[in-house]
Amino acid sequence: MKKTLVLAIGIIVLALSASSATASQESLRAYTIWSERYAKAIFDAFTSDTGIKVEWMRFSSGELQARMEAEKANPQVDVVFGNMAEAFVDGMAKGLFDPYLPENAEKIPSEFRDKEGYWTGVALDPICFMTNQKFLQDKDMTPPKSWEDLLDDRYGKKLQMADARTSGTAMYRILSLVQAMGENEAYVYQTKLNDNVQVYTKSGSGGALPIARGQAAGGIFFLVDALEMKQKGYPVVVSYPEEGVVAGIEAMALVKGASQPDLAKLFLDWASGERMQHLYGENGINLIPTNPDVPPATPELDINSIKILPLDVEWAGENRDRLVERWVEEVLR
């Protein structure tokens, strides 16, 4: 009888140990558009706080969206972290995400999150100009202060910027121009600008290093990428068009059909809190917190002096594909 009892207890202990081991091996799976350094800092902090490992892959915004659509019937991740808000709106219409209101989201202003919880904004990132300082000196030019300045013949096919088919940066470049000029004029302008473009890069940051090294003259980027070059000591100048720019909303969401929805919700709860957004300053992440209780890490991230144009995120999401197609047809020709 005792042997039977001991054996039964042993089986229970082994079962519990196996269950515990399985739980400890559970991993959250995520896609992100953030740089390797930025994403690693965030996901490592989550693992440190919770013990939950994160298996993640990085793509440009357009690539990530295409992958999500291709995997819709068999999702390969639980959360998307860091993609642009308008991409989530586009994904909502395609059934890629489930609504979930993170427990700390109420601190984030309503304009930076979906009211039903389909996406929650975690950072802001405005569009800006980045120009090589030596190029400006050699050409006796000042940093561009207007969209029209980039049409100057002296740039002579030496601008680099992102391809709208693959990059969220390019999408927000287009949205900035549409908001500043109106849609039709924005496409007339981009056709003219194309004459000064050396190459359209696959990712938003693709042209940053060539400009920093003087292999290209300048381009249009998210502030996060321009400041990265400046902080590394490269001779680049960051400026803004007086007509204004749009600030991108970097957001996160629960993937529809996620295999680990509980882990995904735990991450979204954690990532919506102040703790996560304080990591920007602690890790040199050049993003602007959406939580008003977390101040920008450096004066360069204070956008009060920049003309930020309003953006209807729902309109942007609903018209995302159309705007890209129009860019391909009218600008690339």
Side-chain angles (χ1 to χ4, degrees), residues 22 55-56 60-61 66 85 106 119 133 135 140 175 179 198 201 213 224 236 262 270 278 283 289 291 307 314-315:
T22 301
E55 298 174 6
W56 57 276
S60 65
S61 181
E106 73 280 352
W119 58 269
Q133 196 166 35
F135 174 87
D140 193 26
L175 291 172
Q179 290 301 108
Q198 184 183 81
T201 59
R213 291 174 171 171
V224 63
V236 296
D262 291 338
W270 176 87
H278 275 296
N283 292 276
N291 189 314
K307 184 176 181 180
E314 290 190 10
W315 180 89

Side-chain angles (χ1 to χ4, degrees), residues 65-130:
Q65 199 75 350
R67 194 177 183 99
M68 290 289 296
E69 290 178 32
E71 296 170 352
K72 179 180 177 181
N74 183 29
Q76 298 300 298
V77 292
D78 308 300
V79 296
V80 172
F81 176 81
N83 203 5
M84 310 312 297
E86 109 286 337
F88 288 106
V89 173
D90 178 64
M92 287 163 53
K94 296 172 180 176
L96 302 181
F97 302 105
D98 271 336
Y100 177 68
L101 289 166
E103 64 179 25
N104 297 307
E106 73 280 352
K107 286 285 189 75
I108 297 172
S110 59
E111 62 266 31
F112 303 142
R113 53 187 169 90
D114 178 66
K115 61 184 178 182
E116 295 179 14
Y118 277 98
W119 58 269
T120 302
V122 294
L124 302 177
D125 194 9
I127 288 293
C128 69
F129 298 146
M130 182 176 73

Side-chain angles (χ1 to χ4, degrees), residues 2-208:
K2 286 183 179 179
K3 288 183 179 179
T4 304
L5 181 60
V6 169
L7 181 61
I9 292 173
I11 292 172
I12 292 171
V13 169
L14 285 172
L16 290 174
S17 297
S19 176
S20 176
T22 301
S24 66
Q25 292 169 4
E26 288 181 339
S27 297
L28 176 75
R29 298 177 303 169
Y31 287 155
T32 183
I33 71 168
W34 285 16
S35 70
E36 299 281 334
R37 182 173 75 80
Y38 286 12
K40 186 176 187 304
I42 301 303
F43 293 135
D44 283 358
F46 175 70
T47 299
S48 177
D49 286 356
T50 66
I52 299 168
K53 293 182 179 180
V54 183
E55 298 174 6
W56 57 276
M57 295 180 70
R58 179 195 181 274
F59 301 96
S60 65
S61 181
E63 288 177 312
L64 191 157
Q65 199 75 350
R67 194 177 183 99
M68 290 289 296
E69 290 178 32
E71 296 170 352
K72 179 180 177 181
N74 183 29
Q76 298 300 298
V77 292
D78 308 300
V79 296
V80 172
F81 176 81
N83 203 5
M84 310 312 297
E86 109 286 337
F88 288 106
V89 173
D90 178 64
M92 287 163 53
K94 296 172 180 176
L96 302 181
F97 302 105
D98 271 336
Y100 177 68
L101 289 166
E103 64 179 25
N104 297 307
E106 73 280 352
K107 286 285 189 75
I108 297 172
S110 59
E111 62 266 31
F112 303 142
R113 53 187 169 90
D114 178 66
K115 61 184 178 182
E116 295 179 14
Y118 277 98
W119 58 269
T120 302
V122 294
L124 302 177
D125 194 9
I127 288 293
C128 69
F129 298 146
M130 182 176 73
T131 318
N132 182 276
Q133 196 166 35
K134 187 176 185 304
F135 174 87
L136 292 173
Q137 292 170 347
D138 291 346
K139 297 291 185 178
D140 193 26
M141 297 169 68
T142 57
K145 298 292 185 183
S146 167
W147 291 107
E148 294 297 319
D149 289 346
L150 294 187
L151 302 182
D152 193 315
D153 291 341
R154 287 176 289 181
Y155 282 111
K157 213 70 178 173
K158 289 187 177 181
L159 299 178
Q160 289 197 16
M161 57 195 73
D163 190 315
R165 291 169 293 187
T166 56
S167 169
T169 305
M171 187 71 247
Y172 274 80
R173 180 183 73 231
I174 294 172
L175 291 172
S176 291
L177 288 165
V178 169
Q179 290 301 108
M181 304 176 180
E183 184 174 328
N184 289 335
E185 187 57 37
Y187 280 87
V188 170
Y189 169 83
Q190 290 177 95
T191 301
K192 296 176 183 176
L193 180 65
N194 187 58
D195 292 337
N196 276 345
V197 176
Q198 184 183 81
V199 64
Y200 291 104
T201 59
K202 183 178 179 180
S203 70
S205 61

